[in-house]
């Protein structure tokens, strides 16, 4: 039973809002009948003077609503929503009718007659308030009666709903497998007998992991697509900018050519206009001169005519005949003058025509300019950039250049050739590439090699001059670590390597990784940079496992990592120096076992190195350059005579170990009576008798305490200790005096009993 709010109607819960609003099987008559019953029940307490507050108090005390009513209502609201979604309609029919009766009675009691409402409008305020209080009491009474009658049935229904909800939750929680076909979790029972019988199923954890992996793969693909689209978008933006720049250049080029053409046309116009004016001037001058001549001729003709008329008019014919002699004197010059004048030819033709000659403007230059509007000039020479740091690998180079002009460029021509140190670079093959961008990655090159690059720009008009030449260098090849030449102890290691390149490199970098957890592969990396030589002394931590790699550095960048080398700092490790071995002494494949098969003539004619022993069949180990304590062991055979100890680098190669002041050794010889052991230095030995022949000899070198100790490692027995100040670092030394084998064991942790 869910406690309800009995005090007010505004905050009252609708228990079945969906059922009340969605049910259509209830008839209108049922609703009206319920409403009438509710109205009668509400009016009865008012008529009998029913005490509503007392009834409410009793109900509140009965159902525990007097203390935590707000909490109960919140709890009720949350569970009613779950119960409503799971409740079957048949089980809630009774409760629905009760709530319907309550709602109908409430609505009927709240709706008033219009005439009554009209009358109430004229009542005083006190009467109106009294009537409102009566209506509120009627509502509360109806509510209390309904819920008091429906308490038992509500409790029964709530139990059924709770059991059904628990049952459904158990069914939901019982899903223990995943249907791969439907992509939903199901129960194993559904796989055997349900609708998922023929579907493929998997365990929920594995299905979850599979879905996670699938989501991760899809996310990776999505990220790749995003990266591709970003690259495409970036490329489109570059093309967009290039189009804008080319348009600007073409527009500027068109404007320049247009201005040139207009200037040429204006110049042609001025020239033709000036020539036309000159022709006009010449024509006018010629006509003017001809007109002047005509005027002069007319004046002469008029003058002669006037004189002739005057001469004839002044002298009549009789007088003219009488004074003939006199007339001859007068008329003869006149007649001569007239004859001479008439002899002159008069130019009646025009000196020039009024028409001007047709002038044709030569527009070939303009046409050439107009045709060259789309033609672009050849570009200027690019500028090749110097090599950027880390822009090279062992087989590739990335070259950059720039164009500091607005020239239009279709592509670039990149040329390169390897630089020869011998001075015949002309004989080197020249390679040419054409690229669109201002950079290019060249592959298939030689490591740690210099190459000379130059670049030219091309367009439709031609090729630019080549740029200045720049020298690039490829990164070096990975170095090769000499595994057999590594020396180490508990707190340091000396690592050696060699370069695979002919040309020298600038420096080396050693990458040190301490493997702290093999299961989780947890690696802590440190780097030692700027190493000029092919070896380095590294300080380490005891009882650790390290992975060591080496890189070579030059101007082009860093090489790839060398093959890694694993190193354990559990004890001292050294190698045997073959250059010091006697010719009769052989080093087996493991590198730490020496043998001698014959002793016919120690001073034989076999090839001898400059640093090898010639008399004693001995060999030196590598130098132990680490201060502190160092321990190694030698496995010997009981019937083999041998020497083992330490020696300086300059110990005589023609003498025996222990016979001089630069070597300290333990010697085993077999006499007819016993095994004899000597501890030699400068040819002297203390008188020590060893009853148990050692098969495994432990040697402890202590630089700080100036001690060299020998032990029988099988029984942890101390044999002898040399107390000597070692002025220099020493080499382990080994020698055979009879045919036999010595096995050297390095990298051993110093036993605790050596300190006793």
């Amino acid at each position: 039973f869910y406690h309800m709010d009995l005090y007010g109607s505004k905050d009252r819960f609708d228990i079945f809002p969906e059922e009340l609003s969605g049910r259509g099987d209830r008839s209108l008559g049922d609703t009206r009948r319920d409403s009438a019953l509710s109205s009668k029940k509400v009016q009865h307490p008012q008529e009998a003077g029913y005490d509503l507050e007392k009834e409410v108090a009793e109900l509140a005390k009965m159902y525990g609503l007097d203390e935590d009513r707000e909490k109960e209502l919140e709890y009720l609201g949350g569970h009613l929503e779950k119960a409503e979604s799971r409740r079957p309609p048949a089980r809630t029919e009774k409760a629905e009718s009760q709530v319907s009766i309550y709602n109908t009675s409430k609505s009927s009691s709240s709706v008033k007659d219009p005439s009554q409402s009209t009358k109430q409008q004229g009542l005083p305020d006190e009467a109106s308030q009294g009537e409102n209080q009566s209506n509120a009491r009627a509502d509360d009474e109806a509510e209390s009666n309904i819920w008091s009658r429906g308490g038992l049935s509500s409790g029964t229904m709530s139990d059924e709903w709770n059991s059904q909800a628990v049952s459904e939750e158990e069914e939901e929680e019982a899903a223990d497998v995943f249907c791969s076909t439907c992509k939903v979790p199901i129960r194993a029972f559904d796989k055997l007998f349900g609708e998922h019988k023929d579907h493929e199923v998997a365990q929920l954890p594995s299905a979850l992991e599979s879905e996670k992996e699938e989501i991760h793969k899809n996310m990776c693909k999505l990220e790749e697509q995003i990266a591709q689209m970003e690259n495409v978008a970036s490329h489109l933006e570059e093309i967009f900018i290039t189009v804008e720049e080319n348009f600007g250049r073409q527009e500027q080029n068109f404007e320049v050519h247009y201005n040139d053409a207009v200037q040429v046309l204006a110049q042609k116009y001025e020239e033709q206009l000036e020539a036309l004016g000159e022709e006009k001037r010449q024509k006018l001058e010629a006509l003017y001169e001809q007109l002047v001549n005509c005027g002069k001729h007319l004046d002469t003709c008029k003058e002669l005519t006037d004189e002739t008329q005057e001469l004839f008019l002044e002298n009549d014919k009789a007088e003219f005949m009488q004074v003939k002699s006199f007339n001859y004197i007068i008329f003869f010059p006149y007649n001569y003058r007239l004859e001479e004048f008439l002899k002159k030819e008069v130019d009646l033709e025009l000196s020039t025509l009024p028409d001007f000659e047709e002038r044709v403007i030569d527009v070939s230059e303009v046409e050439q300019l107009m045709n060259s509007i789309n033609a672009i000039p050849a570009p200027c020479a690019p500028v090749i950039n110097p090599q950027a740091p880390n822009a090279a690998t062992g087989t590739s180079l990335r070259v950059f250049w720039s164009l500091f002009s607005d020239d239009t460029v279709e592509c670039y021509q990149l040329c390169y050739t390897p630089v020869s140190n011998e001075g015949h670079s002309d004989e080197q093959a020249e390679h040419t590439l054409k690229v669109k961008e201002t950079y290019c990655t060249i592959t298939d090159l030689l490591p740690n090699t210099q190459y000379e690059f130059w670049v030219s720009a091309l367009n439709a008009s031609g090729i630019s001059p080549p740029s200045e030449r720049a020298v690039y260098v490829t990164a070096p090849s990975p170095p090769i670590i000499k595994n057999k030449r590594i020396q180490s102890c508990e707190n340091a290691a000396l690592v050696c390597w060699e370069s695979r390149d002919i040309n020298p490199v600038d420096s080396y970098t050693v990458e040190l990784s301490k493997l702290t957890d093999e299961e989780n592969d947890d690696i802590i990396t440190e780097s030692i940079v700027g190493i000029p030589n092919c070896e380095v002394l590294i300080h380490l931590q005891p009882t650790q496992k390290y992975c060591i790699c080496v890189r070579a550095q030059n101007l082009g960048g860093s090489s790839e990592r060398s093959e890694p080398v694993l190193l354990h700092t559990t004890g001292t490790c050294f190698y045997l120096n073959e250059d010091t071995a006697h010719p009769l002494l052989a080093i087996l494949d493991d590198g730490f076992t020496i043998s001698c098969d014959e002793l016919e003539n120690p001073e034989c004619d076999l090839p001898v190195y400059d640093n090898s022993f010639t008399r004693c069949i001995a060999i030196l180990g590598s130098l132990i350059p680490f201060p502190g304590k160092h321990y190694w062991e030698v496995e010997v055979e009981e019937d083999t005579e041998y020497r083992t100890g330490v020696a300086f680098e300059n110990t005589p190669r023609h003498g025996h170990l222990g016979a001089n002041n630069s070597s300290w050794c333990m010697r085993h010889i077999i006499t007819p009576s016993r095994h004899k052991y000597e501890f030699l230095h400068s040819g002297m030995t203390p008188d020590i008798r060893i009853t148990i022949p050692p098969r495994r000899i432990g040697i402890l070198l202590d630089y700080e305490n100036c001690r060299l100790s020998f032990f029988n490692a099988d029984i942890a027995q101390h044999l002898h200790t040399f107390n000597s100040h070692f002025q220099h670092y020493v080499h382990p030394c080994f020698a055979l005096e009879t045919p036999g084998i010595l096995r050297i064991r390095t990298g051993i942790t110093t036993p605790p009993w050596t300190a006793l």
Side-chain angles (χ1 to χ4, degrees):
F1 177 70
Y2 294 95
H3 305 296
M4 305 305 296
D5 185 6
L6 303 179
Y7 294 97
S9 60
K10 293 184 178 180
D11 299 330
R12 189 177 293 118
F13 284 89
D14 292 334
I15 304 179
F16 308 117
E18 296 181 359
E19 294 293 335
L20 291 174
S21 61
R23 289 185 59 86
D25 55 350
R26 291 174 58 88
S27 63
L28 181 61
D30 295 339
T31 305
R32 292 177 177 175
R33 184 169 56 254
D34 294 342
S35 177
L37 292 174
S38 177
S39 300
K40 292 179 180 180
K41 292 179 180 178
V42 170
Q43 293 173 2
H44 177 71
Q46 292 179 353
E47 296 174 357
Y50 182 76
D51 191 359
L52 179 61
E53 295 180 357
K54 183 178 180 180
E55 182 68 17
V56 169
E58 291 178 358
L59 291 174
K61 184 176 181 180
M62 179 185 301
Y63 299 117
L65 296 176
D66 53 347
E67 296 179 356
D68 299 324
R69 183 170 60 89
E70 295 292 335
K71 296 182 180 179
E72 291 291 335
L73 289 177
E74 292 178 0
Y75 176 81
L76 174 62
H79 283 272
L80 281 179
E81 292 179 359
K82 296 182 180 179
E84 179 63 21
S85 61
R86 297 168 181 169
R87 179 179 58 82
R91 295 184 180 181
T92 60
E93 204 168 11
K94 183 177 180 181
E96 180 183 355
S97 62
Q98 293 176 353
V99 176
S100 177
I101 292 171
Y102 160 71
N103 290 334
T104 307
S105 63
K106 179 182 176 183
S107 60
S108 62
S109 61
S110 61
V111 176
K112 301 178 182 179
D113 186 69
S115 60
Q116 185 180 358
S117 176
T118 306
K119 294 178 181 180
Q120 288 178 352
Q121 291 179 359
L123 294 177
D125 294 338
E126 295 179 357
S128 176
Q129 293 177 359
E131 186 174 358
N132 291 337
Q133 292 177 358
S134 301
N135 292 335
R137 290 183 179 182
D139 293 341
D140 294 337
E141 179 188 2
E143 180 183 5
S144 61
N145 291 334
I146 290 171
W147 289 112
S148 62
R149 291 196 305 269
L152 180 60
S153 60
S154 299
T156 306
M157 286 187 293
S158 63
D159 294 338
E160 293 178 355
W161 297 342
N162 289 337
S163 62
Q164 183 180 0
V166 172
S167 176
E168 292 181 359
E169 291 178 358
E170 291 177 354
E171 290 180 358
E172 293 177 358
E173 295 176 357
D176 52 359
V177 294
F178 183 80
C179 179
S180 302
T181 305
C182 301
K183 301 296 183 181
V184 293
I186 62 173
R187 300 178 303 168
F189 180 81
D190 295 335
K191 168 60 180 172
L192 298 177
F193 305 102
E195 60 181 355
H196 305 278
K197 181 177 181 181
D198 299 330
H199 295 178
E200 182 181 355
V201 298
Q203 295 296 326
L204 284 177
S206 61
L208 180 61
E209 294 298 328
S210 177
E211 290 297 324
K212 287 182 179 179
E213 293 178 0
E214 190 68 23
I215 292 174
H216 179 70
K217 292 179 181 178
N218 293 333
M219 287 297 296
C220 293
K221 292 180 181 179
L222 183 60
E223 290 176 357
E224 292 178 359
Q225 291 182 2
I226 292 173
Q228 292 176 359
M229 294 305 298
E230 288 178 350
N231 293 335
V232 172
S234 177
H235 183 65
L236 290 177
E237 290 178 0
E238 293 178 358
I239 297 299
F240 182 86
I241 295 173
T242 304
V243 169
E244 291 288 345
E245 292 177 352
N246 292 339
F247 170 77
R249 295 192 186 101
Q250 289 292 78
E251 183 181 15
Q252 185 180 4
N253 186 34
F254 179 80
E255 183 179 358
V256 170
H257 283 76
Y258 173 77
N259 293 334
D260 292 344
V262 171
Q263 185 177 0
V264 170
L265 286 174
Q267 184 178 359
K268 294 289 184 182
Y269 171 77
E270 294 292 338
E271 291 177 356
Q272 293 296 330
L273 187 62
E274 183 179 357
L276 187 62
E278 181 66 22
E279 184 179 359
K280 172 186 174 182
R281 185 184 62 80
Q282 292 176 0
K283 285 181 178 294
L284 293 177
E285 288 180 355
L287 290 174
Y288 179 77
E289 184 178 359
Q290 188 176 9
L291 182 62
V292 170
N293 291 334
C294 288
K296 290 180 180 181
H297 192 73
L298 288 174
D299 291 342
T300 303
C301 290
K302 185 177 180 181
E303 181 181 356
L304 290 175
T305 302
D306 292 341
E307 290 180 357
T308 303
Q309 290 178 358
E310 184 181 356
L311 182 62
F312 277 98
L313 292 175
E314 291 180 356
N315 299 299
D316 55 5
K317 188 177 179 180
E319 292 180 355
F320 181 78
M321 296 301 297
Q322 291 177 2
V323 287
K324 185 177 182 180
S325 59
F326 178 74
N327 290 334
Y328 279 122
I329 297 174
I330 295 174
F331 284 100
F332 181 77
Y334 177 77
N335 190 25
Y336 176 77
R337 179 183 175 191
L338 185 59
E339 290 178 356
E340 290 295 330
F341 178 75
L342 294 175
K343 288 180 182 179
K344 292 182 179 180
E345 294 182 358
V346 179
D347 187 9
L348 301 179
E349 298 290 337
L350 293 175
S351 61
T352 181
L353 297 176
D355 299 331
F356 287 85
E357 64 178 277
E358 294 184 1
R359 295 183 178 274
V360 179
I361 299 178
D362 185 11
V363 294
S364 59
E365 185 176 357
V366 178
E367 291 179 355
Q368 184 178 359
L369 287 174
M370 297 301 294
N371 293 332
S372 64
I373 288 179
N374 293 327
I376 55 177
C380 300
V383 178
I384 195 165
N385 300 343
Q387 184 173 5
N390 300 321
T393 65
T395 57
S396 65
L397 283 170
R398 193 170 178 86
V399 184
F400 295 86
W401 59 88
S402 305
L403 188 68
F404 296 100
S405 66
D406 294 333
D407 298 334
T408 301
V409 177
E410 295 180 0
C411 65
Y412 296 92
Q413 179 175 290
L414 179 65
C415 303
Y416 67 95
T417 181
V419 177
S420 175
N421 295 329
E422 299 178 358
H424 7 135
S425 58
D426 296 338
E427 300 179 2
Q428 299 291 336
E430 182 177 312
H431 304 273
T432 303
L433 298 174
K434 287 189 176 181
V435 294
K436 294 288 187 181
E437 296 81 8
T438 56
Y439 61 88
C440 181
T441 301
I442 300 94
T443 57
D444 299 331
L445 303 178
L446 298 176
N448 199 30
T449 304
Q450 292 182 341
Y451 289 86
E452 196 173 39
F453 291 88
W454 64 97
V455 65
S456 301
L458 290 87
N459 60 15
S461 300
I463 185 172
S464 72
S467 65
E468 296 291 334
R469 300 198 173 197
V471 177
Y472 281 55
V473 59
T474 54
S477 301
I480 302 175
I481 299 179
K482 300 178 181 179
N483 295 342
K484 297 183 178 180
R485 295 293 184 267
I486 294 179
Q487 305 174 59
S488 64
C489 63
E490 292 183 353
N491 52 16
L494 180 65
V495 183
C496 303
W497 60 87
E498 62 183 1
S499 174
R500 295 193 298 181
D501 299 320
I502 300 176
N503 299 325
V505 300
D506 296 340
S507 64
Y508 295 93
T509 299
V510 174
E511 295 181 353
L512 187 66
S513 303
K514 182 171 68 173
L515 307 180
T516 58
D517 191 347
E518 296 182 359
E519 295 181 358
N520 298 330
D521 197 22
D522 187 11
I523 299 178
I524 302 174
T525 303
E526 299 178 1
S527 297
I528 304 173
V529 300
I531 303 172
N533 303 320
C534 291
E535 65 177 23
V536 63
L537 181 62
I538 308 172
H539 295 282
L540 306 174
Q541 297 178 0
T543 65
Q544 297 293 333
K545 184 179 180 181
Y546 292 90
C547 178
I548 299 175
C549 298
V550 182
R551 295 178 185 264
Q553 305 278 345
N554 66 2
L555 181 62
S558 175
S559 70
E560 297 294 331
R561 286 182 176 180
S562 65
E563 290 295 328
V565 174
L566 295 179
L567 186 65
H568 298 266
T569 56
T570 55
T572 301
C573 294
F574 56 84
Y575 62 90
L576 298 179
N577 192 348
E578 298 180 3
D579 295 340
T580 63
H582 189 276
L584 295 178
L585 197 65
I587 303 176
L588 301 186
D589 295 338
D590 61 357
F592 292 96
T593 302
I594 59 175
S595 65
C596 179
D597 297 334
E598 56 182 356
L599 296 175
E600 295 180 357
N601 184 9
E603 299 180 0
C604 58
D605 297 332
L606 294 175
V608 177
Y609 297 102
D610 295 338
N611 198 30
S612 61
F613 286 92
T614 58
R615 185 175 181 182
C616 179
I617 306 176
I619 187 174
L620 294 180
S622 60
L623 187 70
I624 301 179
F626 316 112
K629 296 181 179 181
H630 305 280
Y631 179 82
W632 66 92
E633 294 180 354
V634 181
E635 295 181 359
V636 299
E637 296 179 353
E638 190 174 351
D639 56 349
T640 301
E641 296 183 358
Y642 55 86
R643 298 178 188 231
T644 182
V646 297
F648 287 139
E649 173 68 29
N650 59 354
T651 188
R653 302 297 192 264
H654 57 277
H656 290 278
L657 296 176
N660 47 61
N661 59 358
S662 59
S663 59
W664 298 258
C665 70
M666 170 184 174
R667 182 188 182 191
H668 170 239
I669 56 177
I670 302 174
T671 63
S673 59
R674 63 184 177 90
H675 292 272
K676 184 178 180 182
Y677 294 91
E678 298 177 344
F679 296 91
L680 298 170
H681 176 63
S682 299
M684 301 178 63
T685 178
D687 187 9
I688 298 176
R689 292 180 177 271
I690 299 176
T691 57
I692 302 175
R695 301 293 300 273
R696 188 161 56 95
I697 302 172
I699 302 174
L700 178 63
L701 173 64
D702 190 351
Y703 279 120
E704 296 178 355
N705 296 319
C706 304
R707 293 179 181 179
L708 177 66
S709 302
F710 296 87
F711 301 89
N712 185 345
D714 291 330
I715 59 176
Q717 179 186 15
H718 174 257
L719 301 178
H720 180 68
T721 296
F722 289 103
N723 292 309
S724 177
H725 179 67
F726 300 106
Q727 299 178 353
H728 309 285
Y729 290 121
V730 297
H731 296 256
C733 58
F734 313 92
L736 287 170
E737 297 185 351
T738 59
I741 294 176
L742 294 180
R743 295 183 178 87
I744 299 98
R745 296 179 59 202
T746 62
I748 304 172
T749 303
T750 303
W753 41 262
T754 58
L756 300 177

